């Protein structure tokens, strides 16, 4: 790319991602309350609904993200990014005014169809990054998550005092403003010579995943990534439910805890990975990050005081060095003309795990909580996640035996 400055382009895409994550973070603390309001059910039942809402989003994203990834390789990253953000804004509007739980599902389906903002953003970063800087630049996605999750959940927790629908209205406004920002300020990153013809046979989720097999390192890591992404839903899908059940946290406390998560992620992704990865290499950063992630999940499962969750977040967040390392390793295996397709395939893989993970983890939580639980074990999803990440460490070591940086 020679039409825009690389640092400026990274700054533009960082701001776009940051605003996107703030919108996502705003709604997390109040999701349990909104579902309970719409269904009249208790917390354990609300967790099940939450899992199926994520399932509806993920299954749409599974089928449509490879199409959007392929279209971004053909027409550029910018138009696809704007369409994705617009779809997310409409989802928040549907949710804010939903009269029944069914309307929440409609909103999630629309967001899943158009939801490729992170897919396109990672392809954008790959476009403008040199191989040696790629893992560090992918860390900007983590920084955006970190800062966004400092601001978003805090705003959501405070706005939730006016009702569980208010944060969705705020998120809709922020996301639609992001569309305006992207339209006027985010430049195109994909040069004409690096564009390819759109092919339907490569723009389907199964085809895009199978296409990765021609890159042995990427193909070898697929099962490891699959388990790692599923395990992540032990936290992503259950945090608000688990902390309300175990420690009686309200939406404001959940919001502040997620803001602390965001602060730790920002420190790790914005600073530590730029020191750690160059010193130990992407491969060892991946192994150590996964091991720390598994340790954090195991400790969450047995936390019996609210303050413990904050303390355990430190090793868990340090495990965040695994993500950029994994993206750096896989992206380095793929030519510039196929970065959008790679990120679309990765999003498809994440979507498969989001089809499986939230219903699995939310139903595990529901099964081991409430009046009908045979054994009360609200940390069961964390235990399952720890086992999956431990297995992911072993599989990553096997896949990368011959990998040289």
């Amino acid at each position: 790319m020679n039409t825009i400055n690389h640092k400026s382009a990274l700054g533009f895409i960082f701001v776009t991602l940051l605003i996107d994550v703030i919108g996502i973070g705003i709604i997390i603390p109040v999701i349990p309350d909104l579902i309970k309001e719409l269904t009249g059910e208790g917390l354990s039942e609300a967790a099940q609904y939450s899992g199926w809402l994520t399932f509806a989003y993920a299954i749409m994203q599974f089928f449509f993200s490879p199409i959007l990834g392929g279209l971004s390789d053909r027409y550029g990253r910018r138009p696809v990014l704007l369409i994705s953000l617009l779809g997310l804004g409409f989802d928040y509007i549907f949710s804010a005014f939903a009269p029944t739980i069914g309307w929440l599902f409609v909103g999630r389906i629309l967001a899943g169809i158009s939801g490729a903002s992170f897919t396109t953003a990672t392809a954008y970063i790959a476009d403008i990054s040199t191989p040696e800087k790629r893992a560090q630049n992918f860390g900007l996605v983590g920084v955006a998550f970190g800062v966004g999750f400092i601001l978003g959940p805090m705003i959501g927790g405070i706005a939730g005092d006016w009702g569980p629908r208010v944060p969705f209205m705020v998120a809709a406004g922020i996301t639609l403003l992001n569309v305006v920002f992207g339209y006027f300020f985010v430049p195109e990153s994909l040069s004409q010579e690096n564009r390819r013809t759109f092919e339907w046979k490569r723009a389907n989720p199964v085809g895009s995943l199978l296409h990765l097999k021609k890159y042995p390192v990427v193909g070898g890591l697929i099962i490891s990534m699959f388990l790692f992404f599923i395990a992540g839903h032990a936290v992503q899908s259950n945090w608000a439910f688990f902390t309300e059940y175990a420690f009686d946290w309200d939406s404001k406390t959940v919001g502040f805890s997620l803001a602390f998560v965001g602060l730790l992620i920002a420190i790790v992704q914005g600073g530590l990975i730029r020191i750690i990865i160059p010193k130990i290499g992407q491969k060892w950063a991946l192994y150590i990050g996964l091991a720390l992630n598994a340790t954090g999940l195991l400790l969450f499962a047995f936390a019996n005081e609210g303050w413990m969750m904050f303390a355990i977040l430190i090793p868990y967040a340090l495990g965040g060095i695994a993500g950029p390392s994994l993206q750096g390793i896989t992206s380095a295996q793929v030519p510039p003309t196929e970065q959008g397709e790679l990120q679309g395939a990765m999003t498809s893989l994440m979507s498969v795990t989001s089809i499986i993970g939230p219903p699995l983890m939310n139903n595990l939580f529901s099964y081991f909580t409430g009046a009908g639980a045979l054994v009360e074990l609200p940390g069961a999803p964390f235990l399952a996640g720890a086992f999956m990440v431990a297995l992911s460490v072993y599989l990553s070591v096997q896949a990368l035996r011959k990998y040289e940086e």
Side-chain angles (χ1 to χ4, degrees), residues 56 84 86 99 105 114 147 174 188 262 275 328 362 376 383 386 388 404:
S84 299
L86 193 62
F105 279 96
S114 61
V147 177
I174 287 175
E188 180 54 62
I275 301 169
N362 286 121
E376 188 177 28
L383 285 175
M388 290 178 186
E404 298 292 338

Side-chain angles (χ1 to χ4, degrees), residues 110-192:
L110 287 175
I113 290 171
S114 61
S117 57
F118 288 99
T119 302
T120 312
T122 49
Y124 190 109
I125 292 169
D127 292 338
I128 62 175
S129 302
T130 58
E132 60 271 15
K133 289 285 187 181
R134 200 165 271 156
Q136 294 179 44
N137 288 344
F138 278 133
L140 282 175
V141 178
V143 177
F145 262 101
V147 177
F149 267 92
I150 294 170
L151 300 174
M154 286 181 65
I155 296 169
I158 294 168
D161 285 346
W162 286 281
R165 296 173 185 269
V166 174
F168 286 90
M169 298 176 194
V170 177
I174 287 175
T175 304
L176 294 176
L177 282 174
N178 201 12
V179 176
V180 176
F181 171 82
Y183 182 83
F184 287 106
F185 295 107
V186 176
E188 180 54 62
S189 65
L190 187 65
S191 58
Q192 290 292 335

Side-chain angles (χ1 to χ4, degrees), residues 99-387:
T100 65
I101 191 71
W103 281 87
L104 287 187
F105 279 96
V106 172
R108 290 279 76 194
I109 288 168
L110 287 175
I113 290 171
S114 61
S117 57
F118 288 99
T119 302
T120 312
T122 49
Y124 190 109
I125 292 169
D127 292 338
I128 62 175
S129 302
T130 58
E132 60 271 15
K133 289 285 187 181
R134 200 165 271 156
Q136 294 179 44
N137 288 344
F138 278 133
L140 282 175
V141 178
V143 177
F145 262 101
V147 177
F149 267 92
I150 294 170
L151 300 174
M154 286 181 65
I155 296 169
I158 294 168
D161 285 346
W162 286 281
R165 296 173 185 269
V166 174
F168 286 90
M169 298 176 194
V170 177
I174 287 175
T175 304
L176 294 176
L177 282 174
N178 201 12
V179 176
V180 176
F181 171 82
Y183 182 83
F184 287 106
F185 295 107
V186 176
E188 180 54 62
S189 65
L190 187 65
S191 58
Q192 290 292 335
E193 61 269 21
N194 284 334
R195 299 190 185 192
R196 66 173 179 87
T197 304
F198 179 80
E199 300 175 51
W200 279 105
K201 67 180 180 180
R202 289 169 65 173
N204 69 81
V206 177
S208 64
L209 287 171
L210 291 176
H211 182 68
L212 297 181
K213 291 176 67 178
K214 77 176 188 179
Y215 305 106
V217 170
V218 180
L221 286 170
I222 286 177
I223 297 176
S224 176
M225 290 187 282
F226 179 79
L227 291 170
F228 178 54
F229 293 152
I230 286 182
H233 285 285
V235 176
Q236 295 167 28
S237 300
N238 272 300
W239 186 266
F241 294 98
F242 175 81
T243 54
E244 181 177 336
Y245 184 89
F247 313 119
D248 200 28
W249 286 4
D250 58 15
S251 62
K252 189 175 290 186
T253 309
V254 172
F256 285 128
S257 72
L258 290 172
F260 183 63
V261 173
L263 175 63
L264 293 174
I265 291 173
I267 292 170
V268 172
Q269 303 286 348
L272 291 183
I273 65 164
R274 295 177 181 273
I275 301 169
I276 295 171
I277 292 177
K279 283 186 178 294
I280 66 176
Q282 294 178 135
K283 186 164 69 171
W284 278 102
L286 174 62
Y287 299 158
I288 294 169
L290 290 174
L292 286 167
N293 186 279
T295 301
L297 287 168
L298 186 63
L299 293 173
F300 282 143
F302 296 105
N304 55 21
E305 297 285 345
W307 66 264
M308 293 181 181
M309 300 299 284
F310 286 89
I312 297 165
L313 279 170
I314 295 172
Y316 180 77
L318 285 171
I321 63 174
S325 304
L326 188 60
Q327 287 179 308
I329 290 169
T330 55
S331 181
Q333 308 298 307
V334 176
T337 55
E338 297 181 15
Q339 289 294 331
E341 183 176 30
L342 168 67
Q343 301 305 332
M346 294 283 281
T347 302
S348 287
L349 182 64
M350 292 181 70
S351 296
V352 172
T353 62
S354 295
I355 291 168
I356 299 168
L360 172 65
M361 297 302 183
N362 286 121
N363 277 286
L364 267 176
F365 173 81
S366 182
Y367 184 80
F368 285 101
T369 58
L374 294 176
V375 178
E376 188 177 28
L377 187 62
F382 298 129
L383 285 175
F387 174 77

